[in-house]
Amino acid sequence: MPPARADDPSPLPLFGGSAAPPAPVPLVDRVRLEPGERVLAVARHDLDERLCFTDGSVVLTDRRLLGDPPASSDGGGERLGDHFAWPLDGASHIDVRIRGGVGRLELLRDGAVAARWLFTAAQAKGMHALED
């Protein structure tokens, strides 16, 4: 490849000859819904368990909460390839809180945290849609 010129406006190739890495496939496009199951809300989370930036999603349906790997969990979620699923019932509750610029989405089952995802304030609006 010839060296870049200062007057050349084209982007420099960074990832295998393209200007940007391929975009990840959103979780909502990767999950298999059960017959008759409906998606109610989708939100992104952008922090991992070490508070490092990541890119993940959570999908709320009328039957389950599906998500990319959470920051923490009780191990009760069903692994479905690259994501997890938790059934929802009368003992399930979704709680969203933000403190000090870091938010957390928690799936509570029988009052205990079953799974927790972390996010920045930039993702708060989408996360709050999951608990409405």
Side-chain angles (χ1 to χ4, degrees):
M1 173 190 319
R5 296 186 339 247
D7 61 341
D8 183 1
S10 61
L12 294 174
L14 300 175
F15 301 94
S18 65
V25 177
L27 179 63
V28 72
D29 295 332
R30 290 183 276 136
V31 299
R32 289 185 185 251
L33 297 178
E34 297 171 348
E37 186 175 20
R38 295 179 303 118
V39 172
L40 303 176
V42 178
R44 290 184 55 223
H45 65 90
D46 55 2
L47 295 174
D48 66 13
E49 69 278 359
R50 296 169 296 160
L51 299 179
C52 293
F53 289 108
T54 188
D55 188 20
S57 299
V58 180
V59 176
L60 176 65
T61 76
D62 56 346
R63 299 179 193 172
R64 303 179 289 171
L65 184 66
L66 302 123
D68 284 315
S72 63
S73 80
D74 65 1
E78 178 185 2
R79 186 172 189 96
L80 301 171
D82 63 350
H83 59 281
F84 295 83
W86 288 264
L88 299 176
D89 57 26
S92 302
H93 177 75
I94 294 174
D95 186 46
V96 176
R97 294 177 191 239
I98 300 176
R99 186 173 178 185
V102 175
R104 68 176 192 251
L105 168 79
E106 294 178 333
L107 172 62
L108 303 162
R109 298 188 53 119
D110 296 319
V113 177
R116 176 181 294 129
W117 292 267
L118 302 174
F119 58 94
T120 62
Q123 306 304 327
K125 184 176 181 180
M127 286 296 190
H128 280 292
L130 295 171
E131 72 176 343
D132 290 343

